[in-house]
Amino acid sequence: PIPSSSPKVLASLRSLALFTLPFGASVAWGFFIYQLSPDPNAPGAGSSALGSLPRPDLFVHLGLYWLFSLLLIWTVLPCRIWRPLTLALRTGLPITLASVFGIAMELVQDSIPERSASVDDAVADILGAISAVIFVFVIRRVLHLGRPRSTS
């Protein structure tokens, strides 16, 4: 016999997993970025497969922070509160966290002799975060996710 509280426990465990997995992925990706920041041989810092592009490091920054913001969006997506606050949480929080983290990493790089801070890199970080939010917004609209359809 299964105790009557089992569905509640399972629902609680499911809710915990829905938060823990994306949160852990976000933290892990942030740590990965943190580990790359002081490395003078980080992708895009020198010659790479992107070497034919002007400033290939900007594309690396854009991609790193696009994924970081996407993971942050995944973390807050299950949160449902008053609609305007939910929208602010799902868009503003990932952009703000990823942008502040990107600027902080640029400041960390400025304190390392082999690296330097760059406004261009910080802008690429911020644009990566913003483009992830736009991407998710467009995909959710195209797939009609997040809002029940009207039957009338």
Side-chain angles (χ1 to χ4, degrees):
I2 298 174
S4 63
S5 65
S6 277
K8 291 180 185 177
V9 170
L10 290 175
S12 295
L13 288 175
R14 182 179 181 275
S15 295
L16 181 63
L18 284 175
F19 174 75
T20 305
L21 180 62
F23 179 75
S26 298
V27 170
W29 191 253
F31 185 72
F32 175 73
I33 293 172
Y34 174 76
Q35 291 297 314
L36 284 178
S37 289
D39 185 4
N41 299 318
S47 62
S48 69
L50 299 174
S52 62
L53 297 171
R55 294 287 315 270
D57 63 314
L58 296 180
F59 292 95
V60 173
H61 280 266
L62 190 83
L64 288 171
Y65 285 87
W66 185 87
L67 185 56
F68 187 46
S69 187
L70 196 65
L71 291 170
L72 292 169
I73 294 165
W74 184 31
T75 302
V76 297
L77 206 54
C79 298
R80 284 174 178 72
I81 49 180
W82 184 49
R83 185 165 173 80
L85 289 179
T86 300
L87 185 60
L89 180 69
R90 289 180 180 173
T91 58
L93 187 67
I95 290 172
T96 302
L97 286 177
S99 298
V100 167
F101 187 71
I103 292 167
M105 290 301 97
E106 288 303 313
L107 294 175
V108 165
Q109 287 179 17
D110 199 38
S111 67
I112 298 169
E114 298 87 24
R115 300 296 302 260
S116 62
S118 167
V119 173
D120 294 346
D121 290 348
V123 169
D125 299 342
I126 294 166
L127 289 176
I130 292 170
S131 64
V133 169
I134 292 169
F135 173 78
V136 170
F137 179 79
V138 168
I139 292 298
R140 288 178 61 87
R141 289 290 177 204
V142 167
L143 298 178
H144 304 289
L145 299 173
R147 274 192 188 171
R149 290 188 178 180
S150 174
T151 55
S152 52

